């Protein structure tokens, strides 16, 4: 199947700093990318949907100024957690899908963010 | 709204045991149903899917049948292996719109030799 690479796999940062997470589709053009957050023993919560070249659509309750999403190319989307706080510590997962209707989304391996 | 409920884990089985992980859903319209698997340290992988009622998805010995009358999509495997140890997620995707996936909470399976 198609490959989605997420980087870094884990990151530790200090409170107040910003962290950028990259999501790349390695062998297909991802017109749509999704960002999820996963709490321990909880389900994946969709944070936002981004389409290449346009602004991301955020789910209700997700602060768009805190979680900046950029999808500038068909193979790369980034999530920047700005002014991180300990409560932002979580597992963040991206997925990417081609433009054709009905195609499946492929998932990255996730990024473990710890804010200290 | 749309939601997925799956049995809470963790589930611990011996090798070659029979596996069932229950999944029920609530959705408007006719969703597609999925099982994803997450092996330790890896991202989610699509295990199987079914797009309409009575469809059976199957892969790697796992099966699940789309039951509209009971709004269920239970995952089964007749004989589990140690390598099946992972977290399993049931999910639905509604037709049309943004095609978002709605996930259950996940069930951790551990298979002992």
């Amino acid at each position: 199947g198609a490959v989605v690479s997420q980087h870094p796999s884990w990151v530790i940062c200090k409170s107040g700093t910003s962290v950028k997470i990259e999501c790349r589709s390695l062998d297909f053009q991802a017109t749509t990318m999704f960002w999820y957050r996963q709490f321990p023993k909880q389900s994946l919560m969709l944070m936002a949907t981004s389409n290449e070249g346009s602004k991301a659509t955020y789910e209700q309750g997700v602060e768009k100024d805190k979680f900046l999403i950029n999808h500038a190319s068909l193979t790369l989307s980034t999530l920047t957690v700005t002014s991180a706080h300990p409560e932002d510590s979580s597992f963040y997962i991206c997925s990417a899908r081609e433009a054709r209707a009905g195609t499946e989304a492929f998932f990255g391996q996730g990024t473990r963010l710890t804010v200290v | 709204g749309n939601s997925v409920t799956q049995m809470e884990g963790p589930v611990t089985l011996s090798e070659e045991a029979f596996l069932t992980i229950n999944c029920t859903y609530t959705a408007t319209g006719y969703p597609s149903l999925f099982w994803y698997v997450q092996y330790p340290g890896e991202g989610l992988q699509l295990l199987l899917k079914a797009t309409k009622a009575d469809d059976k998805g199957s892969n790697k010995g796992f099966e699940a049948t789309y039951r509209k009358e009971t709004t269920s999509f239970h995952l089964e495997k007749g004989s589990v292996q140690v390598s099946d140890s992972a977290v399993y997620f049931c999910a639905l995707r509604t037709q049309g719109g943004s095609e978002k996936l709605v996930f259950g909470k996940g069930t951790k399976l551990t298979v002992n030799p």
Side-chain angles (χ1 to χ4, degrees):
Chain A
V3 177
V4 174
S5 176
Q6 196 171 332
H7 178 81
S9 297
W10 59 270
V11 58
I12 301 173
C13 71
K14 292 184 178 180
S15 289
T17 62
S18 295
V19 174
K20 180 183 285 189
I21 302 169
E22 293 187 348
C23 181
R24 293 181 184 272
S25 58
L26 299 185
D27 51 3
F28 67 99
Q29 294 186 328
T31 51
T32 305
M33 286 190 172
F34 305 88
W35 287 95
Y36 296 85
R37 183 172 178 176
Q38 185 180 22
F39 294 97
K41 297 184 180 180
Q42 296 290 322
S43 182
L44 280 74
M45 181 192 77
L46 180 64
M47 299 174 66
T49 303
S50 72
N51 291 297
E52 185 264 338
S54 61
K55 291 184 178 180
T57 302
Y58 289 80
E59 296 298 302
Q60 193 172 9
V62 178
E63 298 177 61
K64 61 182 179 182
D65 293 332
K66 180 166 188 61
F67 299 99
L68 301 178
I69 292 171
N70 183 282
H71 190 170
S73 80
L74 285 171
T75 58
L76 174 65
S77 176
T78 60
L79 167 67
T80 301
V81 182
T82 62
S83 187
H85 289 104
E87 57 264 31
D88 298 325
S89 299
S90 193
F91 195 59
Y92 294 88
I93 303 174
C94 73
S95 71
R97 185 165 64 84
E98 291 182 273
R100 291 173 293 145
T103 55
E104 302 309 327
F106 296 93
F107 286 78
Q109 75 271 35
T111 298
R112 171 72 61 191
L113 170 63
T114 303
V115 184
V116 297
Chain B
N2 301 317
S3 66
V4 175
T5 303
Q6 64 182 101
M7 64 184 283
E8 301 225 0
V11 174
T12 303
L13 296 173
S14 297
E15 207 165 20
E16 299 183 2
F18 184 85
L19 168 71
T20 299
I21 301 178
N22 290 335
C23 171
T24 57
Y25 67 90
T26 301
T28 53
Y30 302 96
S32 295
L33 302 174
F34 305 83
W35 277 101
Y36 283 86
V37 58
Q38 185 178 29
Y39 297 104
E42 299 183 16
L44 274 72
Q45 300 175 26
L46 178 63
L47 179 60
L48 54 85
K49 68 177 183 179
T51 57
K52 60 183 187 296
D54 299 325
D55 269 2
K56 176 186 284 187
S58 61
N59 185 26
K60 299 181 181 180
F62 291 89
E63 293 183 341
T65 300
Y66 190 141
R67 301 284 188 200
K68 185 171 180 290
E69 63 277 14
T70 54
T71 61
S72 65
F73 193 55
H74 305 321
L75 182 69
E76 296 182 337
K77 185 173 185 180
S79 176
V80 294
Q81 305 300 313
V82 173
S83 58
D84 293 327
S85 298
V87 180
Y88 293 82
F89 292 90
C90 186
L92 69 82
R93 183 180 69 200
T94 55
Q95 293 180 338
S98 62
E99 298 194 14
K100 301 175 191 175
L101 284 168
V102 177
F103 288 89
K105 290 187 176 182
T107 303
K108 183 176 182 180
L109 170 67
T110 301
V111 180
N112 295 317

